[in-house]
Structure formats: structure tokens, C-alpha cells
Amino acid sequence: MTRRPGMMMFFAVTALLIATLCIWFEFTPVASIADTRIPAMIAALSSLAMFAGLRSTRIGKAGVAAAMVAVMSVIVLYGLYDEEAVRFRNGDVDLAGTLILPRWGSRPHPAVVFIHGSGREVRDAFGWHAKLFARHGVAALIYDKRGAGESSGETWQGTYVDYAADAAAAIEYLRSRDDIERGCVGVFGLSEGGWVVSIVAGSIVPDVRFVIVASSTPVTPAEQVLYETGSSVAAAGFDAGAVRRAVELQRRVLQYQRSGVTDPRLEIELRDAASQAWFEAAELPDELYPIEDYEWWRGVMDFQSLPYWRRVRAPVLAISGGRDRNSDVVESQRGIAAALEEGGNGSFTGRIFPEMEHGLIEWWLPSRIPPPRFPPGFARLLVDWTRTQTACEPDPAR
């Protein structure tokens, strides 16, 4: 069968582009929502098949492109870290996750446990971050939150203390492994995970090696909701009067959720407010649900993290985004730093990325055209700071 050099070159270049895109996506937020390794490897195998089918005298540019695809895919996507499915328990709750281990470097490795934000979060939400750490010598444990993915239990029956106990179980699991440096395990909490981290490092596992919090605040969840209501209405372009009205209604909704005491006029006012242009931005409910529907929220809405932060002894890195509407990022970082200092811990590093949103991404193309990206310098900050904290002496008992 005659092979056309032009057609072979076309297929080789196409495979090269596919693999290059997949490799690029591994370094973007896409890595947290899709597994790009499979299509990249298919492209690599296709290129190798073409390479094998070409006569040695006609390898030329098509052969070189095919070889480039194979080498890039194998090294970048499979040669930098190992993935291992793991399970560990917190009492009756069985937690499933993935341990991403550096393929290179001396063992045992330092490690980090990732702690979720709100909702039924699964391990892949931290896919990019975990791979980043593993590529730089730090093992990373990501797991499905209780009640999500392959983990048992129920998300909405757990308190922040329960979530913290799950994270502590993850730390203990890592410390039991011969390939992990026992005294060199840290935690990374995102959003709601910041409240959970304060419990982990301030109470349950006080000897945790380091703490990273991102898009987190030391105010209570209820206070955060009030701030978010006001900032969202203001960001949508409405005046101070609309902001005050939205915040006041939200305050009364929170009081109902907290106390269960019916406010005869609140539902009427919410229905009236629903016709206002600012109502959607405020994310207010248009009706009040039965008080039992707020049982989980009532148990966490007034959680005070500052007493826990005052007991944290590990170095802390706090990362925030200038476009985060969930909390006052400047005051949030000041609050955590002040609480640490009150407790005698002066090891605080804070960084605000001006264009970053609550989800740690920024939109660098016009009109929010995907894919988004992590801010320039974000990855370097995580890697450099963490490697400084994980320059641990080997455990002499091992």
C-alpha cells in the first residue's frame, strides 16, 4: 500500500497538536475537570504507529513530529508522578481518594492533604493543585468529601468538626505510610475548607507541618453571607440604597434560619423585593422554607474560627483574590494574621492576586472566553513557600 508523505505529515501534525493541547491543559484549570492524559496517550500511540510504518529513508519531518508527540506525552503526563487509589476511615465514614506521588526524588516524601469547599465536592476539584505539588516533590492526597463520589456518609449531616476529623484521618493515613515523611505533612483548605483547617491545625492535629488557606475568611459563615450579599449587589451596579435593603433582608433571613422564629412580614417583603432589579444579584430566597430544612446550616452558620486560629502553631500561607466577592480579602488576611500573632505565631504569609476570583482562577481572555487560568505567580508561590516549609529532617525512627 502506498503511503502519501503529505497525508502522513498531516496526521503527524494533528497528533502533535492534540498532545500539545492536552499537555497545556494539564497546567490549566482544565486539569481539575477532565483527564487529558488519555487523549494525549492515544495521540502518542498513533504517532508511534505512523513512525513504525514509515521507511527509515522517509522518516523526515513526519517522523520527527511523531517522535516528539510520543516523548512529550510520556514524560509530561506519565513520567512526573504516580497515582494510587486509597481508602481510609474516620469512625464509620469510609473515605476514598487518590494519592499523587512524585515519581522522582528521594523518599520518604513530604505531603499535603487537600480540604474541600462547600457542597458535595469530589477529589478532582484539586486535580491541578495536587499534580503541581507532586511534580515538585510533595505528595498530595485528594479525596471525595463524605457523602460525595465514592466516600460514604452524608455531607449535610457533618459539621466542620466532622470534616476536620475526616482530614485528620487523612493525615494519619499518610503518616502511616513508609513513603511519606511522618513529620512533614501539611494541609490546604479552600473556601469553607479554611474554617475546617483552623480546627485541624488548631485542635486535632496541632503538629501539622504547614497550613495553606485559599479564598478563606475568619469571620463566621453568616457574616460572610451578609458581605457577599452586599458586594454582589454593589458589583452589579446598584446604588447604596439597594445594597442596604438587600443586606437588611438577608440579615432577617439569617435570623429566621438561626432561631426558627417566624417573622410575619418577612415573606411578604421578600415577595415584594423579588420584583426589584437587584433581587437576583442579592441571591435572596423568594420564600422561607420550613425551619427543619436549615438544620445543617444552623449548626455551622455562627462557627467561630478565631479561637482555633489563635492555637495554630504551624506556618500559614493565606491566598486571596482581588475579585473575590465572598469576603473582604484584606480584612480576612489581617484577621487570620492577628489571631495567629495573639497566639504567639508570627509565621504568616499573605498574598492577594488582584484579578483572581473566589475559585482561584482568573479570566485572561475577553468576555470570559475559556479556558480560565491560574494567576501568574500563583503556582510558583505555592511551590516555593511549601518547599521551604517541607525541608524536613528524616524521621530517625524509620
Side-chain angles (χ1 to χ4, degrees):
M1 180 178 178
T2 303
R3 295 180 176 84
R4 298 178 181 177
M7 185 64 70
M8 298 298 292
M9 186 63 182
F10 171 78
F11 283 121
V13 171
T14 300
L16 174 63
L17 289 174
I18 292 173
T20 302
L21 278 174
C22 291
I23 293 168
W24 177 49
F25 286 150
E26 278 290 297
F27 297 88
T28 73
V30 174
S32 293
I33 60 175
D35 188 348
T36 58
R37 297 189 304 166
I38 295 175
M41 187 51 62
I42 291 173
L45 293 174
S46 299
S47 295
L48 285 173
M50 286 189 293
F51 184 83
L54 290 170
R55 296 177 182 175
S56 59
T57 57
R58 297 175 57 192
I59 289 177
K61 295 179 180 179
V64 172
M68 287 175 60
V69 173
V71 171
M72 289 168 60
S73 298
V74 171
I75 292 179
V76 176
L77 300 178
Y78 286 86
L80 300 181
Y81 52 81
D82 291 317
E83 295 187 17
E84 178 183 341
V86 300
R87 287 187 174 274
F88 54 96
R89 297 188 66 85
N90 172 26
D92 295 333
V93 179
D94 181 55
L95 297 153
T98 300
L99 178 60
I100 303 182
L101 290 156
R103 191 178 291 274
W104 308 106
S106 60
R107 298 181 180 230
H109 301 294
V112 59
V113 172
F114 286 88
I115 302 176
H116 320 82
S118 60
R120 288 183 169 88
E121 292 288 318
V122 295
R123 70 193 82 174
D124 291 344
F126 289 117
W128 177 87
H129 305 80
K131 293 171 185 177
L132 171 70
F133 279 105
R135 286 195 297 267
H136 291 87
V138 180
L141 176 55
I142 51 180
Y143 62 95
D144 300 333
K145 193 174 186 177
R146 59 166 61 202
E150 298 177 28
S151 292
S152 67
E154 175 52 60
T155 304
W156 305 120
Q157 291 178 354
T159 65
Y160 293 162
V161 172
D162 294 323
Y163 301 156
D166 292 344
I171 294 171
E172 189 55 38
Y173 166 75
L174 288 177
R175 288 178 169 180
S176 71
R177 294 177 59 108
D178 291 337
D179 52 359
I180 301 298
E181 184 58 57
R182 179 177 177 83
C184 213
V185 179
V187 287
F188 184 125
L190 171 64
S191 187
E192 179 186 82
W195 291 313
V196 178
V197 159
S198 71
I199 302 173
V200 174
S203 178
I204 305 178
V205 192
D207 61 340
V208 67
R209 181 70 181 193
F210 62 89
V211 171
I212 301 173
V213 288
S215 298
S216 300
T217 179
V219 304
T220 69
E223 290 170 329
Q224 185 188 54
V225 168
L226 284 176
Y227 180 90
E228 185 178 0
T229 297
S231 66
S232 296
V233 173
F238 296 101
D239 60 22
V243 171
R244 285 194 298 271
R245 180 62 175 150
V247 170
E248 179 55 29
L249 281 173
Q250 189 68 270
R251 192 185 308 278
R252 291 167 63 187
V253 169
L254 289 167
Q255 185 56 30
Y256 165 74
Q257 294 168 341
R258 180 182 291 114
S259 68
V261 177
T262 303
D263 184 337
R265 289 207 48 84
L266 181 55
E267 281 201 83
I268 297 174
E269 293 182 38
L270 285 171
R271 285 195 295 269
D272 290 343
S275 63
Q276 300 298 311
W278 50 261
F279 188 82
E280 183 176 356
E283 297 186 356
L284 285 159
D286 53 10
E287 64 175 317
L288 298 177
Y289 298 105
I291 192 60
E292 54 268 21
D293 288 359
Y294 302 108
E295 182 178 357
W296 176 85
W297 172 237
R298 190 164 55 252
V300 301
M301 64 186 296
D302 293 316
F303 171 73
Q304 298 281 347
S305 65
L306 287 174
Y308 290 99
W309 280 117
R310 294 186 187 105
R311 297 200 295 269
V312 173
R313 296 293 173 262
V316 175
L317 170 64
I319 300 172
S320 305
R323 294 188 178 274
D324 188 344
R325 296 177 186 168
N326 290 43
S327 61
D328 184 324
V329 296
V330 173
E331 289 303 315
S332 291
Q333 292 204 359
R334 286 176 180 169
I336 294 174
L340 292 169
E341 190 171 354
E342 288 172 17
N345 182 357
S347 186
F348 174 84
T349 303
R351 176 75 181 274
I352 298 174
F353 291 92
E355 299 301 315
M356 190 173 78
E357 298 183 354
H358 186 75
L360 308 185
I361 59 173
E362 65 178 33
W363 298 90
W364 57 291
L365 293 174
S367 303
R368 298 171 71 90
I369 296 173
R373 70 178 181 185
F374 294 103
F378 176 72
R380 178 50 55 193
L381 172 65
L382 285 177
V383 169
D384 288 350
W385 185 88
T386 303
R387 292 180 73 174
T388 298
Q389 309 310 321
T390 55
C392 303
E393 294 295 328
D395 187 343
R398 292 193 173 182

